[in-house]
Amino acid sequence: MKKTLVTLSAVLISAASFFIASCKKSEKNTITLYSRAEYIPSSVIEKFEAEYGAKVKIKSFNSSEKMFKEVCSSKDYDVVISPLEITSKLIDKKVLSKINMDKFSNKSKINPKCLSRVEIGDKEMAYSVPFCMSAVGIIVNKKNVKDYPRNYTIFQKKDYTGHMTMLNDMRISLGAALKQCGYSLNTTDKAQIKEAAKLLKYQWAPNLLKFDSEDYGKMLAAGNFWVCQGSADVVLNAVAENEQKQTVDFFVPETGAPAFFDSFVIPKKAQNYDLAMKFIDFCHKSEIYAEILDSTRSPAYINLEAEKFTKKKPLYSRSTLSRCEIILDTGDASELYRQSWENIKF
C-alpha cells in the first residue's frame, strides 16, 4: 500500500511538473497586443502564429487616455499600437523598452518621409516603429442618406438626428470642430478651443445618438447609424464586400481632418520582448503589410514597398494625408481640452 502511494505521488509530481513546464513554455510563446479594435487583420495574426508557433492575445482600448494609464501601470502588454501624442508621453515617462534594430530586419521598409512628419518624439525609432498613418474621415450609409454635404456641416443636419455618431475621443472629435473653425487641431489658444467646443456641443452633439468608438462600424452596417466619424476600415470590416460600393461613402473634408499616426511600442514591463520584436518585424514584411493596407483601405505611406502587393484600391490617396493633421501632445493645454470635453459630454 505504502509503495502504491509513493508511486502515485511520483506520478502526480511528474504530471504537475509537466503541467508547469507546459504553462511556462506556453507563456514564452505568447504575446498580448494592445490596440484599438480590429486594427490588424486576423489573417496576419494567424500567419504570425503559424510561422512562430506562437499565440497572440488581443486586447482593445477605446480611448487614448485609458491606454496611456494602462501601459504605465500594467505588465499585461507586450506590444502596443500607440497614437503619436501618447507615444511621446510614454517616452517621457520612461516606461518603454528600446527598439533593438538588430532584430528589426525590415527597418529599411519604413518611409523616411513619414518619420519627418513626426514633429515630436522619436524620429530615430529609438522607442517606436511607425505602424500606420490614416485619415479620420466621415462615413455615410448611402442607403439611408442621399443628398448630403461632404463636409462637417453634415453633423448639423436635423434630418439625421439620432442616426449619427462621432468618435468617443476628446482630441479627434474636438479636432474635427477645430478644423471646421479653421484652426489647428493642436492649438493651445484658449479662445479657439472654446469656439470649437461650442460648435461641437451646441450644433453637432444634439444630433448625435452618442459618441462611440467601438460599435459604429456594425451599427452603420445594420442601418442604425447613417453618418459616422471614424476610420473606413472599421466600417468596411462590418459590411459585406459585395455591398460596400453601394453602401459606404468615405470622405475627408477639404477643411482638413485628424489623422492617426500610430506606432508599435514595447513596454518595459513586457513579458516577452523577443517575440514582440518578431511581431513588429513580421508586420513590416511588405507582403504582410499589404494585407494590413487592404484591410484599412489606406494608401501605402509608412511602408511604400507594400503597395505593389496590395489587391484593393485605397479609399483615398497619399496626397489626401497632406491635408490631415497628426494629433500631438498639447502640454498644459491638455487640461483645457479635458474640461471642454467633459462639458460637452456631461
Side-chain angles (χ1 to χ4, degrees):
M1 179 69 177
K2 194 176 289 184
K3 184 177 180 182
T4 302
L5 288 173
V6 170
T7 303
L8 180 59
S9 297
V11 170
L12 290 173
I13 291 169
S14 177
S17 300
F18 178 78
F19 177 75
I20 292 169
S22 298
C23 287
K24 287 183 177 179
K25 183 177 180 181
S26 175
E27 289 172 3
K28 187 176 180 181
N29 287 321
T30 299
I31 56 171
T32 300
L33 169 68
Y34 195 33
S35 76
R36 66 183 180 91
E38 300 178 347
Y39 210 1
I40 294 184
S42 57
S43 61
V44 169
I45 300 296
E46 289 165 6
K47 286 178 181 176
F48 174 79
E49 290 178 330
E51 182 162 329
Y52 288 99
K55 175 68 178 176
V56 179
K57 298 178 181 178
I58 301 174
K59 293 186 179 180
S60 61
F61 56 81
N62 58 13
S63 84
S64 299
E65 292 74 27
K66 178 185 176 184
M67 184 275 280
F68 174 71
K69 292 176 182 177
E70 279 284 299
V71 174
C72 287
S73 62
S74 175
K75 61 179 182 180
D76 293 340
Y77 312 112
D78 298 288
V79 184
V80 180
I81 300 180
S82 170
L84 178 61
E85 80 276 15
I86 301 301
T87 300
S88 65
K89 289 182 179 180
L90 293 171
I91 292 172
D92 290 343
K93 278 280 187 180
K94 302 185 186 305
V95 296
L96 298 181
S97 295
K98 281 199 168 187
I99 299 299
N100 186 339
M101 287 298 167
D102 291 335
K103 296 180 182 292
F104 186 27
S105 62
N106 287 303
K107 56 183 174 289
S108 61
K109 308 287 178 62
I110 305 297
N111 178 10
K113 287 186 177 180
C114 85
L115 290 171
S116 71
R117 290 196 68 168
V118 182
E119 299 172 37
I120 57 172
D122 196 18
K123 293 184 179 181
E124 304 301 323
M125 294 193 292
Y127 294 94
S128 62
V129 173
F131 169 64
C132 183
M133 181 174 176
S134 58
V136 180
I138 297 173
I139 309 115
V140 173
N141 187 325
K142 295 189 291 184
K143 291 183 177 179
N144 299 106
V145 180
K146 301 304 177 185
D147 298 319
Y148 51 90
R150 292 172 63 80
N151 55 55
Y152 291 117
T153 63
I154 195 169
F155 292 114
Q156 296 169 211
K157 300 281 285 184
K158 301 293 184 184
D159 299 350
Y160 313 147
T161 298
H163 293 284
M164 297 192 290
T165 184
M166 296 182 73
L167 290 177
N168 186 25
D169 188 294
M170 171 180 75
R171 294 296 308 281
I172 292 176
S173 288
L174 270 170
L178 283 164
K179 299 308 288 184
Q180 178 64 17
C181 292
Y183 307 132
S184 166
L185 56 80
N186 295 307
T187 184
T188 57
D189 185 284
K190 186 175 181 179
Q192 293 178 358
I193 295 170
K194 284 190 171 183
E195 182 183 344
K198 186 177 179 180
L199 171 64
L200 180 55
K201 179 172 183 174
Y202 294 110
Q203 296 192 45
W204 296 357
N207 302 323
L208 306 178
L209 180 63
K210 61 178 178 175
F211 290 96
D212 175 68
S213 296
E214 295 183 323
D215 298 321
Y216 68 91
K218 295 173 185 175
M219 293 283 279
L220 186 137
N224 298 314
F225 284 161
W226 300 349
V227 181
C228 302
Q229 180 197 36
S231 298
D233 60 297
V234 175
V235 173
L236 294 177
N237 285 335
V239 177
E241 192 165 352
N242 62 348
E243 295 182 9
Q244 290 176 1
K245 190 172 183 179
Q246 61 265 36
T247 303
V248 179
D249 180 24
F250 174 84
F251 61 88
V252 176
E254 289 295 328
T255 50
F260 289 119
F261 190 105
D262 295 338
S263 298
F264 289 117
V265 298
I266 302 176
K268 276 186 178 178
K269 295 179 180 179
Q271 301 297 296
N272 202 335
Y273 178 91
D274 287 342
L275 192 59
M277 277 302 314
K278 288 176 181 177
F279 182 77
I280 293 171
D281 192 51
F282 181 82
C283 287
H284 273 296
K285 287 183 177 182
S286 295
E287 61 274 23
I288 295 297
Y289 195 81
E291 289 187 43
I292 296 170
L293 291 176
D294 282 339
S295 174
T296 63
R297 299 293 291 277
S298 302
Y301 183 71
I302 301 293
N303 184 327
L304 298 178
E305 187 179 299
E307 187 172 37
K308 60 188 177 186
F309 296 98
T310 56
K311 298 177 182 178
K312 297 179 182 179
K313 184 179 178 180
L315 291 175
Y316 53 93
S317 65
R318 277 197 289 268
S319 62
T320 300
L321 290 174
S322 65
R323 67 172 185 268
C324 294
E325 193 173 0
I326 300 170
I327 298 171
L328 306 176
D329 181 17
T330 55
D332 293 341
S334 296
E335 180 59 20
L336 181 56
Y337 278 95
R338 187 190 65 77
Q339 291 173 0
S340 298
W341 182 242
E342 287 185 355
N343 185 41
I344 290 163
K345 291 190 69 179
F346 306 109

